[in-house]
Amino acid sequence: MSSMRSAFLSLLFLSAALPASADMLEDIGAAQKIRLAVRADAPPFSSMAANGVPEGYSVGLCRAVAEEIGLQLKLPKLAIEYVTVSATDRFDAIVEGKADLLCEATTATLARRALVDFSIPTFISGASIVIREGGPKDLSELKGQRIGVLDGTTTEEGLRTTLAMQKVEAEVVLAKTHEEGLDLIEKGDIAAYFADRTILVYLLDQRPAPATKLVVADNYLTSETYALALPRGEDDLRLAIDRALSHLYRSGAVGKIFLDAFGEKAKPTALQRNLYRISGLPE
């Protein structure tokens, strides 16, 4: 037997021995349940209400997606199970099969696509800094100072990259939560806190007025596109998610989810409105 034929038969045998890949959408239908991974510390995208129920823009999108997936599967009701994750273990929950869909402030990147798949875009934002009133408003003014950022996020990567590109030598201080980061700047332990601008504006609006006023710098220092993360290779599930999101965008129903999360006076930016128009796919 030639070595090529032997190798082919070995590969054929190995392929036959491997179990068929599971179809997660079918599994969801069989269980009549979808598992949504949520965070408690990323408002207004994902947080916990006073009654312990998850809330926020990404959570609202995921609930609407779950409802439509139930209709697509012709189920009388698709139950939702919430899986609480943090900024550091959120992708592990998807990769390890503990959750079906990640519903929080998740930036889609090429590096992350090596681990998980992403839906069509859900939000567009960018990073900025919180400073004490009268403080430096740009990274170039923070040379030799301490800058806080949430550990294990794309904003941390963006901060380090931007500092290197601008040749600004500053100490990066890692925070476990946004509240911890804001506490650090309020106490004067850091000169600025770097995070998603939408989250920063929301948190400062909800936070009791500190003795030292904190403000968000006007400029965006990075640009980031959010999406819902799901396991790689689950094409049917992604199609169902994208179909549900597209229906929300094209029907305008996403408007209520936006207002519920950001407040009745909030208005989507021109970029966000264009994202809905461009990303909502026709049937």
Side-chain angles (χ1 to χ4, degrees), residues 144-217:
Q145 301 195 58
R146 306 177 83 221
I147 308 171
V149 67
L150 192 64
D151 188 13
T153 60
T154 54
T155 43
E156 180 194 343
E157 298 170 15
L159 173 61
R160 295 186 187 277
T161 300
T162 305
L163 290 173
M165 289 178 61
Q166 296 186 13
K167 297 181 179 179
V168 175
E169 294 184 5
E171 181 184 350
V172 175
V173 178
L174 300 179
K176 294 179 181 177
T177 66
H178 290 306
E179 288 296 339
E180 179 183 329
L182 294 178
D183 286 341
L184 288 173
I185 189 169
E186 187 177 326
K187 294 173 184 175
D189 292 336
I190 56 177
Y193 183 67
F194 188 84
D196 177 278
R197 194 175 192 281
T198 304
I199 293 177
L200 291 176
V201 170
Y202 180 85
L203 288 175
L204 288 189
D205 185 57
Q206 301 295 313
R207 191 177 174 88
T212 302
K213 187 175 180 181
L214 303 180
V215 295
V216 181

Side-chain angles (χ1 to χ4, degrees), residues 8 36 40 44 92 122 126 142 146 149 171 176 178 245 259:
F8 174 75
L36 305 182
D92 294 337
T122 58
L142 289 164
R146 306 177 83 221
V149 67
E171 181 184 350
K176 294 179 181 177
H178 290 306
L245 289 173
L259 292 177

Side-chain angles (χ1 to χ4, degrees), residues 26-33 78:
E26 287 186 3
D27 291 344
I28 290 170
Q32 298 189 34
K33 178 179 71 175
L78 182 63

